[in-house]
Amino acid sequence: MNLIIMGAPGAGKGTQAELIAARENIPAISTGQILRDAMKAGTELGNVAKSYVESGGLVPDEIVIGIVRDYLVSDACKNGFILDGFPRSIAQAQALEDMGVKIDAVLSIEVDDARIVKRMSGRRVCECGASYHVDYNPPAVADVCDKCGKALYIRKDDKAETVINRLETYHSQTEPLLDFYRERGLLVAVEGQEKVEDTTELVREALSKIDK
Ligand code: AP5
């Protein structure tokens, strides 16, 4: 399955992408996580990305398009992939089409802005990529990752004012992609629920109906 997951910041893209990836045994490619890893490692990519990510804007198209292109031609993606957080602009979607990669479906997880703000304040993440929520998806031991045992922390871009900017960026630059994919008959929309497992069930049901 070649799947794109869309949704506002904090809609649950990463959470659902990891679950689908484990179920389907395909990689989930999160451009946000790739950029955060590069920022942490202090690479040239990370240094360029930092100001965009930390202010809640989009990293320039040509940079993320290059990253995704490299992943999609790698062996890891030969049996399918999930794109989490890409494309995020019409230019990125067009570049993906130009790569000639067949997309089976575009899953949009829909959550309203007020619930997003509430969710982001409770998110805790691990450097291994795992993500939790203090109320909705807590780790077994508070502030410790279930997967690798490291200490959890709050993402810098989860500050309230940055979340507002990220939502604005989503509505102005990314939301138009819903029509782009609706016109191509690829859009599958699911309403994000209050509980992770309820959203997972809706996603599973929606994806069971798509042609692969
Ligand atoms: P990215 O990392 O993609 O951030 P995002 O889109 O803002 O999404 P998040 O990771 O914040 O949230 P999510 O939807 O994955 O939700 P999650 O599952 O964690 O990008 C970060 C930045 O990188 C961007 O702002 C941009 O600067 C840059 N960037 C990335 N891609 C780019 C691109 N293509 N082009 C240009 N720039 C790019 O869930 C959120 C929280 O809610 C968690 O705590 C979770 O446990 C909880 N939760 C999840 N589901 C539920 C549920 N159903 N009920 C209750 N709680 C839930």
Side-chain angles (χ1 to χ4, degrees):
M1 174 167 52
N2 296 347
L3 180 69
I4 292 171
I5 303 193
M6 287 186 59
K13 301 181 294 295
T15 302
Q16 295 303 323
E18 288 302 323
L19 293 167
I20 300 165
R23 208 166 61 223
E24 300 276 337
N25 200 21
I26 52 176
I29 301 156
S30 159
T31 43
Q33 189 62 41
I34 292 167
L35 295 168
R36 279 187 293 282
D37 288 346
M39 284 160 55
K40 186 157 184 278
T43 64
E44 200 182 325
L45 167 65
N47 293 337
V48 173
K50 198 170 164 43
S51 63
Y52 299 100
V53 173
E54 290 184 355
S55 66
L58 292 186
V59 172
D61 288 333
E62 61 277 16
I63 296 179
V64 276
I65 290 167
I67 295 172
V68 170
R69 185 182 285 119
D70 288 349
Y71 266 88
L72 293 183
V73 296
S74 74
D75 259 10
C77 291
K78 66 177 191 294
N79 296 323
F81 56 82
I82 302 165
L83 285 174
D84 161 11
F86 181 95
R88 253 174 153 98
S89 65
I90 295 285
Q92 292 179 19
Q94 255 148 9
L96 185 62
E97 275 195 353
D98 294 345
M99 288 177 212
V101 180
K102 177 180 169 280
I103 298 297
D104 298 310
V106 177
L107 174 70
S108 169
I109 303 178
E110 312 204 327
V111 178
D112 64 51
D113 289 6
R115 276 163 64 203
I116 293 284
V117 172
K118 197 170 156 217
R119 275 191 196 180
M120 302 306 247
S121 62
R123 175 160 58 183
R124 301 291 180 271
V125 295
C126 179
E127 63 180 38
C128 76
S131 172
Y132 303 87
H133 191 283
V134 290
D135 298 319
Y136 306 127
N137 181 25
V141 176
D143 293 327
V144 176
C145 181
D146 289 348
K147 291 187 180 159
C148 72
K150 289 199 178 132
L152 302 180
Y153 62 95
I154 298 173
R155 254 169 61 175
K156 268 193 177 166
D157 61 346
D158 279 352
K159 282 188 298 197
E161 65 269 29
T162 313
V163 170
I164 302 293
N165 288 344
R166 287 161 66 196
L167 280 167
E168 276 172 19
T169 302
Y170 174 75
H171 292 306
S172 62
Q173 299 190 54
T174 306
E175 219 165 33
L177 284 179
L178 297 178
D179 278 342
F180 181 96
Y181 285 118
R182 193 176 287 116
E183 281 161 16
R184 285 156 177 76
L186 292 172
L187 190 71
V188 179
V190 159
E191 196 167 329
Q193 304 294 305
E194 276 303 305
K195 285 188 178 163
V196 173
E197 51 274 29
D198 292 344
T199 305
T200 304
E201 196 43 47
L202 290 181
V203 167
R204 189 199 296 266
E205 203 181 302
L207 294 184
S208 70
K209 294 179 191 148
I210 66 162
D211 294 328
K212 292 180 226 169

